[in-house]
Amino acid sequence: MDDGTGPAPELVSTLADRFRFVRKLGQGGMATVYLADDIRLGRQVAIKILKPEIAASLGRGRFVSEIRIASGLTHPHLLPLHESGEAGGLPYYVMPYIEGETLRQRITRERQLPVAEALRIACEVADGLSYAHSHGIIHRDIKPENILIQSGRAIVADFGVARAITASATEPSTTSGVILGTAPYMCPEQAVGDHAVDARSDVYSLGCVLYEMLIGEPPFTGASIPTIIARAMSERVPSMRVVRPEIPIEVENAVRRALARSPADRYPSAEAFARVLQDCARGKRRRSGRVIAATAAAGVAALFVVGMLAARPDPPFDENDALLVADFRAPPGDPDVGKVFRDLVTTALGQSHFIRLVERRSLNAVMRKAEIPETTFVNDSLARQLAQRSSVRAILVGNVDENARASYTVTLRVIDADSGRTIASATGIASGATVPDTVHMLTEHLRTQLGERARDVRSTRPLRDVTTPSFEAFRKYSQAVDAYATKGDITGSNRMLREAIALDPRFASAWATLAAHYLTARQLDSARSAFDRALALHDRLGTAEEYRLKADMAYTVDYDLPAAVEYYGLYLAEAPHSRSGRSNRALYLSAMGRYDEALRDLEDAVALNPFGPELIQPVLTNLAVVLVSLGRIDDATRTASQLTGPYPRFVKTVIASAGSRWTAAESLSIAAAVDAPAGGLFRSNAPMSHASALAAQGAVRSADSVLRATIAGASANDARWFERARLLLALASGETVPQRTDLVPGDSSAKAGLLRALWAAAAGDTIGARTHMMRARPTTPAERADLGEGPALVEALIAANGKRWGDVTKSLAAVARRGEQDPLIYDRPDSFLLRWVTANAFERMGQRDSAVAFHELLLRPTAIPPGHYALRGLVNGFAHQRLAQLLEQRGDRDAALAHYDRLLASFVRPEGNAVALVADARRARAKVVSAGVAVTRQR
């Protein structure tokens, strides 16, 4: 930027590796906004930089922290905050760059908006406010300048920023309108300096904005800020109907209540205000005699007859109402074609922000609960019964008839779940390559009849562009998705996906599903390749699907967790009802140790299921184990009570391990190991938890025997995990680490090389360790991600062989303190191994306090990834023994006694070195007790 309006040079320099500033967009009382290119993510963003005089009054760390809280908000009517920080001494935050205009610009241009349009914008803003309020965040500065209009949709900007500035202020602000709000839109309690405002403050401000959209100016104006505030606190709200008599009295009354001087007299929430405004909007449609008429449209190769709706006062569907997709009837000679059309229709409707879809495949758990076989054909009668068990508003049924000349007649009906009345319908004829176009037009007609805005419907990309023009390729794809969803058959599903790709090599969704399957199976190399192929076909991806792919690609290829989280934020803005999107983002957040944020996403994902939380077992399981990681054991136990199948046993094992209840953990893991339905994570977790529980009871050799037996039949990924656990157990228990020539035979991967290097270094074989590391040297971000801190750990173990303890702590202390949080990549050394080696090094250096701190981290039952709780018992007893000795040396007898007692209570089945350790602990404990008695007598 060379126009003299750019940000400070030091700030540009600090952010140069991430952002390139393009131009100044504008400035206000507290900040200046610049358009910038996000170099890493290849997109344009808006960077808002606080003015120096504002920044000078803030506690900057608190400001960044508060902004980070606000950045967790994800809603279609809220502008997300990507990130924040401090550069050149000035706090800044980064937002998406929205092409469009502000509501202020529109009001300036039009002065008064149509009543229906003003009500719609106010409802959308209220919807976003309600979501944020449910997360404990108040905006505090709602005004037309902070409401953006993009393709007709209202988006609230600067959410949480006023809160961040207020919370972080180190001294009272003297800048009117910055911390407290903006005078014409400020509620009376804000005006008198009450910072403890609640949701009703935003309701008041939104009432002012709605008033201005209808009249052309705010309800209270004046030559100065004190004048405006004085009028708001003493005068009645001017009547809008005096200026615009056509404004309905219901709207006038709604605005008056929102602008009540006392918060107690206003609407109690933004949601309540929105409901009243929606009723006002429906009332206006009644008065205008609006009738949803049928239309007839001809396609290139399809004839449509769209169902006529009876004139009705209310729209048949409200935004975010749930629509359950039933099974489609098919010709007797081709029963699968019904599923194919059902999936095509589901994909087309999935692009709508207006409709919240419940897919047929997601009904399996509902049907199990109702004791209905999952293979039962879900017709309109059964679909209505299932819908009535939930918050589903309507059902979608379809009928596919085969005609002469290989064409199909497709009939779609949307039926009110309660009354059974048809509220939308469409029929079309298509064949061959016209099928995607036919389905696209049919669903457009349904969406229009249900009340979605025409411009939103028209903006949807053609179905053939986001799937495939080949009907046979989509048939293979549908069969593949069905094989995995109903049978868990990844192998068969992948085979059919390959067949679909053979018919259409540019079928991006097929590549994306193949990548997701590989990721689920932890075949990361194959997943990376498939993700790469899918993203190369970005012109064949929907916007939401592309963001989702970029998120998963950022993780699997670049191991860029912040980028993965950001992309999932963009995805959820496009697909706000996606449970899996929130669940996946939670997984990435937890991999960064951000468990509180992960919890919010999982709670939202559970709440999105219209049939209740107990019917989304994987998401509920993730929620339970994140609660364990946060130390909320009672909440985790209550959540686990809603689980069925293999899930509750897994969660109960994690809870038992977190609580050091090793006998219970052993029993649960043994039962899980023989549980036939258990697979994947459960299959590998059960024997690891069994060995861990044995080790925690002192049965070291039995634990190692369980691990050895499991390795014999394990996959390569699992075998490496179990072998590293054996190494951890040997180091912690003080057993001799042997030279190994039998490690993972036939495995030539870099991950196997790292494992061999770790064992060689721990056994004192420096040359062997370096030789194996040469073969395991990573060359790509993905390979470096696979190995994690493994190379540093090898070097630390080599340094320990040379008694260079300072080198050990220098390379490992920081990462060991932070710990490994990613539960997906098994080859990354876990927190326990990193912390054990670090604690031992500090102990050898005589730095007792540091050694104590790391041993205490080894025993901490929180901030552990779900899959790593199975390792906790491998070091538990030995960490108690080391802590007892260190604390005794430090003179902290009571704490030492506590750890000796925990060791002796835990080691009830000692084997090998543990036998001598127990005997030593008893003697040491007796000595500590005697010393304490002697001190007492002397006193």
Side-chain angles (χ1 to χ4, degrees):
M1 299 177 61
D2 56 4
D3 58 359
T5 62
E10 60 269 26
L11 188 142
V12 175
S13 175
T14 303
L15 300 179
D17 61 335
R18 179 69 191 280
F19 300 107
R20 183 176 65 83
F21 286 86
V22 178
R23 70 174 188 272
K24 180 178 176 180
L25 293 174
Q27 67 181 38
M30 68 178 181
T32 305
V33 189
Y34 296 92
L35 175 66
D37 291 324
D38 185 330
I39 299 168
R40 185 175 69 185
L41 298 181
R43 64 185 180 187
Q44 288 195 313
V45 297
I47 300 180
K48 205 159 199 175
I49 303 167
L50 293 190
K51 290 185 174 180
E53 61 271 23
I54 300 298
S57 67
L58 300 183
R60 292 167 191 169
R62 177 73 184 275
F63 176 83
V64 172
S65 174
E66 292 289 338
I67 282 288
R68 188 174 294 118
I69 293 173
S71 70
L73 298 177
T74 302
H75 189 276
H77 296 303
L78 301 184
L79 185 68
L81 294 174
H82 289 331
E83 61 183 86
S84 62
E86 181 181 350
L90 298 176
Y92 71 89
Y93 48 96
V94 183
M95 307 167 291
Y97 172 60
I98 300 296
E99 292 185 350
E101 64 179 353
T102 65
L103 181 57
R104 165 62 63 218
Q105 290 169 319
R106 182 167 179 186
I107 292 174
T108 300
R109 184 177 68 251
E110 298 181 18
R111 190 170 181 271
Q112 296 177 348
L113 275 59
V115 174
E117 184 72 355
L119 291 175
R120 181 189 63 77
I121 291 172
C123 285
E124 290 180 350
V125 172
D127 189 28
L129 289 173
S130 177
Y131 169 84
H133 294 165
S134 71
H135 287 71
I137 300 180
I138 312 300
H139 191 290
R140 299 169 183 261
D141 197 20
I142 293 295
K143 57 186 177 181
E145 289 82 352
N146 282 339
I147 299 172
L148 309 178
I149 307 296
Q150 183 187 40
S151 301
R153 179 164 60 105
I155 302 173
V156 183
D158 277 5
F159 219 112
V161 175
R163 163 198 164 108
I165 292 176
T166 302
S168 58
T170 57
E171 58 187 21
S173 173
T174 57
T175 309
S176 298
V178 175
I179 291 181
L180 296 179
T182 304
Y185 312 94
M186 192 188 309
C187 64
E189 60 267 31
Q190 266 184 294
V192 297
D194 183 358
H195 293 300
V197 296
D198 59 17
R200 295 169 296 183
S201 166
D202 285 348
V203 169
Y204 183 99
S205 299
L206 179 56
C208 293
V209 170
L210 177 55
Y211 187 106
E212 185 172 7
M213 284 193 285
L214 294 170
I215 300 303
E217 65 179 18
F220 301 107
T221 59
S224 66
I225 291 174
T227 300
I228 295 171
I229 293 174
R231 290 190 61 193
M233 298 184 70
S234 60
E235 297 179 8
R236 289 175 53 85
V237 177
S239 171
M240 296 187 295
R241 286 164 57 82
V242 170
V243 180
R244 287 182 69 180
E246 68 269 27
I247 293 176
I249 186 62
E250 295 92 337
V251 176
E252 172 100 87
N253 292 338
V255 173
R256 281 189 180 278
R257 181 175 176 186
L259 296 178
R261 198 167 300 148
S262 170
D265 296 329
R266 295 177 208 146
Y267 294 102
S269 66
E271 181 182 9
F273 188 22
R275 282 198 301 268
V276 172
L277 295 181
Q278 287 166 356
D279 289 341
C280 292
R282 290 167 184 160
K284 178 163 178 61
R285 281 195 286 271
R286 272 198 297 275
R287 282 186 296 276
S288 65
R290 177 174 180 241
V291 176
I292 301 177
T295 61
V300 174
L303 174 66
F304 296 96
V305 181
V306 181
M308 177 76 73
L309 291 180
R312 49 184 283 131
D314 295 328
F317 220 66
D318 288 328
E319 187 168 2
N320 298 333
D321 274 349
L323 176 66
L324 187 158
V325 181
D327 285 323
F328 284 18
R329 295 192 179 277
D334 190 2
D336 282 345
V337 79
K339 293 181 180 179
V340 179
F341 273 97
R342 181 196 68 192
D343 289 347
L344 275 168
V345 169
T346 300
T347 303
L349 290 175
Q351 296 189 83
S352 169
H353 288 191
F354 181 78
I355 298 169
R356 180 155 58 104
L357 278 184
V358 180
E359 297 186 31
R360 163 63 180 88
R361 292 188 185 94
S362 67
L363 294 180
N364 290 347
V366 183
M367 295 171 71
R368 283 196 301 272
K369 185 178 181 182
E371 298 183 349
I372 300 169
E374 295 173 32
T375 55
T376 302
F377 184 89
V378 180
N379 58 18
D380 53 350
S381 175
L382 178 55
R384 284 184 60 202
Q385 292 178 38
L386 296 172
Q388 288 165 0
R389 295 169 179 263
S390 67
S391 59
V392 170
R393 166 73 184 278
I395 64 170
L396 170 65
V397 297
N399 195 71
V400 182
D401 293 311
E402 192 169 17
N403 306 320
R405 300 178 184 175
S407 67
Y408 298 97
T409 298
V410 184
T411 302
L412 306 177
R413 288 190 302 137
V414 177
I415 300 172
D416 185 274
D418 291 328
S419 68
R421 182 170 49 84
T422 297
I423 57 178
S425 65
T427 300
I429 302 173
S431 62
T434 70
V435 169
D437 300 322
T438 301
V439 171
H440 182 82
M441 293 183 185
L442 288 174
T443 55
E444 280 191 326
H445 285 295
L446 288 182
R447 291 165 61 186
T448 302
Q449 292 175 68
L450 291 174
E452 188 170 356
R453 289 191 296 269
R455 63 172 171 268
D456 292 340
V457 175
R458 289 194 301 269
S459 67
T460 303
R461 292 184 61 194
L463 186 58
R464 64 169 47 240
D465 287 353
V466 296
T467 55
T468 173
S470 169
F471 182 62
E472 289 307 313
F474 193 88
R475 182 193 289 262
K476 291 288 185 183
Y477 173 77
S478 175
Q479 292 169 343
V481 173
D482 201 55
Y484 177 68
T486 60
K487 303 173 186 175
D489 182 7
I490 283 186
T491 302
S493 181
N494 286 354
R495 183 183 67 254
M496 285 180 276
L497 288 169
R498 293 282 183 188
E499 292 173 2
I501 290 167
L503 292 168
D504 179 6
R506 290 180 49 77
F507 193 172
S509 293
W511 282 111
T513 305
L514 191 64
H517 285 180
Y518 284 136
L519 186 60
T520 299
R522 295 203 305 276
Q523 299 177 31
L524 296 184
D525 293 334
S526 298
R528 288 163 186 144
S529 175
F531 276 130
D532 195 41
R533 295 296 297 272
L535 278 174
L537 303 167
H538 61 87
D539 59 312
R540 291 283 296 278
L541 292 167
T543 302
E545 187 177 19
E546 183 173 1
Y547 283 138
R548 183 169 187 151
L549 277 176
K550 285 182 176 179
D552 293 333
M553 190 76 164
Y555 174 77
T556 56
V557 175
D558 300 324
Y559 200 66
D560 188 343
L561 284 163
V565 169
E566 283 189 39
Y567 276 127
Y568 259 112
L570 295 171
Y571 166 75
L572 288 168
E574 295 292 327
H577 310 305
S578 172
R579 294 194 308 271
S580 62
R582 281 181 167 75
S583 184
N584 287 358
R585 184 170 67 174
L587 183 68
Y588 295 148
L589 286 167
S590 67
M592 300 167 72
R594 292 160 62 178
Y595 291 105
D596 285 308
E597 296 169 75
L599 178 66
R600 286 197 294 271
D601 264 346
L602 290 168
E603 288 174 335
D604 288 345
V606 169
L608 279 170
N609 182 37
F611 293 97
E614 68 275 13
L615 299 178
I616 46 173
Q617 298 285 294
V619 178
L620 208 59
T621 299
N622 290 338
L623 174 61
V625 292
V626 165
L627 286 167
V628 176
S629 295
L630 288 168
R632 294 169 55 178
I633 302 300
D634 289 343
D635 291 336
T637 302
R638 281 191 290 271
T639 302
S641 68
Q642 303 175 69
L643 297 170
T644 59
Y647 298 105
R649 189 173 287 127
F650 168 69
V651 174
K652 288 176 183 177
T653 305
V654 171
I655 291 173
S657 298
S660 300
R661 295 186 292 108
W662 303 114
T663 303
E666 180 183 4
S667 299
L668 288 163
S669 58
I670 290 173
V674 297
D675 194 349
L681 171 64
F682 304 122
R683 184 174 56 242
S684 59
N685 190 272
M688 184 68 82
S689 295
H690 183 197
S692 185
L694 287 171
Q697 297 174 77
V700 177
R701 291 175 181 172
S702 297
D704 189 64
S705 178
V706 169
L707 294 173
R708 286 201 315 272
T710 306
I711 288 167
S715 67
N717 282 338
D718 287 350
R720 294 191 299 268
W721 191 45
F722 287 115
E723 287 286 15
R724 201 174 68 246
R726 291 185 67 200
L727 176 60
L728 173 61
L729 180 59
L731 289 172
S733 65
E735 298 282 349
T736 301
V737 178
Q739 295 277 4
R740 296 285 301 275
T741 59
D742 60 336
L743 279 167
V744 288
D747 189 342
S748 59
S749 66
K751 305 162 193 174
L754 170 63
L755 176 68
R756 295 182 183 112
L758 286 170
W759 269 89
D765 181 5
T766 297
I767 295 175
R770 293 202 184 282
T771 301
H772 289 305
M773 276 310 301
M774 286 291 292
R775 296 170 183 165
R777 179 172 295 168
T779 58
T780 67
E783 290 176 347
R784 285 191 288 273
D786 287 340
L787 304 188
E789 302 299 335
L793 181 57
V794 170
E795 290 298 326
L797 289 169
I798 290 173
N801 292 334
K803 304 187 186 308
R804 292 181 280 110
W805 307 113
D807 290 345
V808 176
T809 59
K810 183 178 180 181
S811 62
L812 287 189
V815 297
R817 185 177 295 108
R818 182 174 66 247
E820 175 57 59
Q821 302 297 331
D822 194 326
L824 281 184
I825 306 182
Y826 273 20
D827 290 281
R828 296 168 68 90
D830 55 84
S831 303
F832 300 103
L833 187 53
L834 294 168
R835 288 168 178 171
W836 186 269
V837 173
T838 305
N840 183 62
F842 276 121
E843 194 172 342
R844 297 300 185 93
M845 293 169 67
Q847 295 187 19
R848 191 179 298 124
D849 290 344
S850 295
V852 166
F854 277 95
H855 279 303
E856 287 175 340
L857 283 175
L858 283 163
L859 293 172
R860 188 175 67 180
T862 56
I864 299 173
H868 291 190
Y869 275 97
L871 301 167
R872 188 168 181 261
L874 298 174
V875 299
N876 189 266
F878 306 106
H880 279 305
Q881 185 256 352
R882 292 288 187 91
L883 268 172
Q885 291 178 338
L886 289 166
L887 291 167
E888 182 184 355
Q889 294 166 15
R890 200 166 70 178
D892 193 345
R893 286 188 299 273
D894 289 342
L897 274 175
H899 285 289
Y900 278 130
D901 287 341
R902 288 172 191 163
L903 165 64
L904 293 171
S906 178
F907 271 23
V908 293
R909 297 158 61 181
E911 298 172 354
N913 286 355
V915 175
L917 187 148
V918 167
D920 290 344
R922 285 181 178 143
R923 285 192 295 270
R925 184 188 186 283
K927 179 182 173 183
V928 172
V929 171
S930 298
V933 171
V935 169
T936 301
R937 286 175 179 169
Q938 289 174 10
R939 290 177 181 170

